[in-house]
């Protein structure tokens, strides 16, 4: 397949929320209590919500910046590409990168919307619904067919969460972002019947539970003085743990149609994982009382789980051991793992090197995403205008050059020291 003929749908990108997002959707009685973006004297932008301050509002939004500026930068919205928070500019960036459609995870509320859980359930629900309505109606609604809509959960109440899933499904949403480990956030685990109303709502509405790495707030760090490279290397372990926890849980046995996406978890680890779960079942199921109705755990995995990759040579090579219908591609814009704006070139080189046939390419680049998320972009974008080549032609002379945007160039040692302090603080908080 020629690079320009590929159709690319990314199942994992991110939004840096704009400051006016609550303006049109939060009831007026809560207006004064809404989270607000505050510009600090030093140039940083922070979200403030009651006593909580979320620093580094654009943390890791480094698309289009030189690698020398990666780290704890950027601090302010004026240090990042407007496409991170402006939907019109995002579409220009998508076109220039040859991307037809994108699913965008939240940033400042957390992947599971935990920030909005307060002592006042009505206020908390209003915040979640305001966020969801902004995301669905304004962000996704501005360009039909270009975004897979996603909803925040009502993480503190399973019944309310189920109701919200049903509400947003009426608006065309079939993806719910959720924690990879709710127990780590102080909520019942996946094994607790507490979540039964949610599982039923997901199945009834054909909604995918999209669990993103890091959504539990736990990091895989061997020691507080481990360099940041260790944490970055081990990030996929969070999703491996979630996959195991969910695969051996009741929901996948009780709900044959339940769909779960392992977002930003990569794919190269999955063949070993499937061998391991089958071996575990063979050797131990008689005393652990596991029963998958005559199927192996690996078969159940392929029934329920969607996986995704950015650039994963091993996973692409072993795609049929994983399950070719269970793999989707992602770009991770605007984070530091993203290949934007050269995703088509890098992905195509990998697919060509592994001699992937066109049928498999189409499944991994867009067909699987469309099927799993009940999403049909071609209702709005003609197929001939959806290819890499056609989108880039539509982008015209949109500037995608690498540009230094940082207000300050902190020395690498200072960045690492600050990062280590954050890791120590996070570890101490988790331990407490």
């Amino acid at each position: 397949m020629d690079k320009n003929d590929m159709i690319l749908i990314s199942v994992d990108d991110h939004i840096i929320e704009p400051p006016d997002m609550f303006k049109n959707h939060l009831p007026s009685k809560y207006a004064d209590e809404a989270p607000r973006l505050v510009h600090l004297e030093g140039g940083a932008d922070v979200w403030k919500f009651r006593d909580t301050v979320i620093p580094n509002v654009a943390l890791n939004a480094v698309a289009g910046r030189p690698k020398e500026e990666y780290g704890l930068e950027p601090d302010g919205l004026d240090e990042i590409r407007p496409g991170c928070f402006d939907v019109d500019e995002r579409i220009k960036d998508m076109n220039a990168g040859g991307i037809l459609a994108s699913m965008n995870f939240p940033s400042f509320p957390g992947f599971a919307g935990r920030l909005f859980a307060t002592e006042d359930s009505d206020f908390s629900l209003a915040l979640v619904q305001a966020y969801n309505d902004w995301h669905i109606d304004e962000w996704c609604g501005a360009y039909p067919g270009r975004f897979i809509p996603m909803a925040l959960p009502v993480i503190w109440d399973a019944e309310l969460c189920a109701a919200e899933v049903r509400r947003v499904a009426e608006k065309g949403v079939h993806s719910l972002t959720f924690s990879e480990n709710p127990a780590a956030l102080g909520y019942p685990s996946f094994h607790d019947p507490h979540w039964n109303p949610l599982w039923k709502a997901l199945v009834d509405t054909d909604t995918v539970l999209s669990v993103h790495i890091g959504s539990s707030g736990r990091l895989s760090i061997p020691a507080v003085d481990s360099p940041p490279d260790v944490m970055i290397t081990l990030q996929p372990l969070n999703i491996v743990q979630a996959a195991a926890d969910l695969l051996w849980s009741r929901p996948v046995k009780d709900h044959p149609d339940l769909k779960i996406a392992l977002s930003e978890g990569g794919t190269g680890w999955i063949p070993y994982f499937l061998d391991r779960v089958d071996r575990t079942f063979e050797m131990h199921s008689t005393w652990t009382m596991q029963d998958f109705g005559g199927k192996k755990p690996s078969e159940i995995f392929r029934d329920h789980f969607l996986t995704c990759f950015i650039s994963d040579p091993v996973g692409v090579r072993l795609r049929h051991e994983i399950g070719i219908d269970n793999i989707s591609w992602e770009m991770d814009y605007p984070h530091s793992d993203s290949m934007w704006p050269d995703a088509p070139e890098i992905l195509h080189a990998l697919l060509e090197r592994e001699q992937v046939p066109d049928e498999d390419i189409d499944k991994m680049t867009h067909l699987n995403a469309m099927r799993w998320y009940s999403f049909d972009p071609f209702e709005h974008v003609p197929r001939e205008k959806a290819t890499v080549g056609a989108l880039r032609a539509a982008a015209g002379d949109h500037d995608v050059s690498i540009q230094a945007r940082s207000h300050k160039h902190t020395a690498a040692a200072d960045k690492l020291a600050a990062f280590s302090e954050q890791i120590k603080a996070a570890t101490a908080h988790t331990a407490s």
Side-chain angles (χ1 to χ4, degrees):
M1 179 180 292
D2 185 86
K3 172 194 70 180
N4 288 316
D5 293 333
M6 292 193 302
I7 295 175
L8 300 181
I9 294 179
S10 171
V11 295
D12 172 42
D13 293 314
H14 301 268
I15 295 176
I16 305 301
E17 292 84 3
D20 61 350
M21 58 164 297
F22 288 104
K23 179 180 178 182
N24 299 322
H25 303 284
L26 192 66
S28 57
K29 65 179 179 179
Y30 296 129
D32 293 339
E33 295 186 77
R36 66 190 189 279
L37 191 69
V38 178
H39 188 71
L40 303 182
E41 190 172 317
D45 290 311
V46 300
W47 279 97
K48 287 189 174 182
F49 179 52
R50 295 186 167 182
D51 296 329
T52 302
V53 176
I54 297 91
N56 300 101
V57 63
L59 179 63
N60 207 224
V62 295
R65 293 165 58 115
K67 289 183 179 178
E68 290 76 15
E69 290 190 359
Y70 288 14
L72 293 183
E73 299 283 4
D75 291 324
L77 293 184
D78 59 350
E79 294 181 278
I80 63 177
R81 289 190 66 84
C84 298
F85 56 88
D86 182 308
V87 69
D88 298 321
E89 292 297 317
R90 173 65 67 93
I91 289 295
K92 293 177 185 178
D93 281 357
M94 289 167 60
N95 288 346
I99 310 302
L100 169 61
S102 167
M103 188 169 73
N104 296 165
F105 282 85
S107 290
F108 90 85
F111 293 130
R114 188 189 186 197
L115 177 68
F116 296 155
T118 74
E119 77 291 344
D120 183 343
S121 182
D122 291 341
F123 176 43
S124 298
L125 180 61
L127 288 170
V128 170
Q129 292 184 334
Y131 188 104
N132 288 342
D133 288 342
W134 164 79
H135 175 80
I136 299 162
D137 300 338
E138 294 193 35
W139 186 267
C140 299
Y143 292 90
R146 301 303 301 274
F147 297 101
I148 301 174
M150 164 180 279
L152 278 177
V154 184
I155 190 69
W156 65 91
D157 187 308
E159 292 282 1
L160 290 177
C161 195
E164 182 65 2
V165 167
R166 298 181 191 280
R167 185 185 78 88
V168 298
E170 292 292 327
K171 304 178 77 167
V173 178
H174 297 280
S175 177
L176 182 77
T177 175
F178 206 77
S179 173
E180 70 209 346
N181 182 4
L185 300 177
Y187 300 108
S189 76
F190 290 128
H191 309 281
D192 196 300
H194 168 86
W195 298 111
N196 285 351
L198 175 59
W199 306 132
K200 188 174 188 310
L202 292 171
V203 171
D204 288 348
T205 59
D206 198 23
T207 297
V208 181
L209 189 78
S210 299
V211 293
H212 195 286
I213 60 169
S215 53
S216 66
R218 284 190 176 175
L219 302 172
S220 296
I221 307 168
V224 294
D225 54 350
S226 296
D229 315 75
V230 176
M231 184 274 290
I232 295 169
T233 301
L234 295 177
Q235 275 185 335
L237 287 186
N238 292 70
I239 215 71
V240 178
Q241 293 173 354
D245 208 31
L246 283 159
L247 181 59
W248 295 107
S249 70
R250 287 299 321 170
V252 297
K253 300 182 181 73
D254 295 340
H255 302 282
D257 295 325
L258 181 64
K259 297 179 180 178
I260 302 166
L262 305 176
S263 303
E264 205 175 321
T267 56
W269 54 273
I270 295 172
Y272 167 76
F273 176 84
L274 297 181
D275 285 344
R276 179 62 180 167
V277 294
D278 281 352
R279 176 67 171 168
T280 300
F281 181 75
E282 176 188 352
M283 299 302 295
H284 300 286
S285 60
T286 53
W287 69 270
T288 62
M289 307 301 290
Q290 289 287 347
D291 182 2
F292 291 103
K295 289 187 174 182
K296 293 181 179 180
S298 59
E299 295 175 283
I300 295 297
F301 181 90
R302 295 185 185 100
D303 288 342
H304 290 276
F305 290 86
L306 177 69
T307 67
C308 64
F309 73 100
I310 302 174
S311 177
D312 196 335
V314 173
V316 171
R317 190 174 309 137
L318 300 178
R319 60 191 178 278
H320 289 287
E321 294 187 34
I322 297 166
I324 191 61
D325 296 319
N326 299 77
I327 305 171
S328 285
W329 176 77
E330 61 161 304
M331 183 171 59
D332 198 30
Y333 176 104
H335 287 181
S336 56
D337 270 348
S338 176
M339 298 184 294
W340 184 91
D342 300 319
E345 286 75 20
I346 298 171
L347 178 61
H348 184 263
L350 168 60
L351 298 171
E352 195 171 55
R353 187 167 65 248
E354 298 299 332
Q355 300 181 324
V356 181
D358 290 359
E359 180 183 4
D360 288 1
I361 292 175
D362 283 342
K363 285 187 175 185
M364 293 189 293
T365 57
H366 65 284
L367 292 180
N368 287 343
M370 291 170 57
R371 178 170 54 85
W372 278 77
Y373 286 105
S374 305
F375 174 69
D376 185 2
F378 305 124
E379 290 183 355
H380 304 279
V381 182
R383 189 178 292 267
E384 65 272 14
K385 295 183 179 181
T387 64
V388 169
L391 290 166
R392 282 181 162 172
D397 59 356
H398 183 59
D399 187 5
V400 295
S401 61
I402 302 297
Q403 300 177 23
R405 296 174 179 268
S406 176
H407 291 159
K408 55 186 180 297
H409 297 277
T410 307
D414 291 342
K415 288 184 179 181
L416 290 176
F419 193 93
S420 296
E421 288 302 315
Q422 282 200 349
I423 295 299
K424 291 177 183 177
T427 304
H429 177 72
T430 300
S432 63

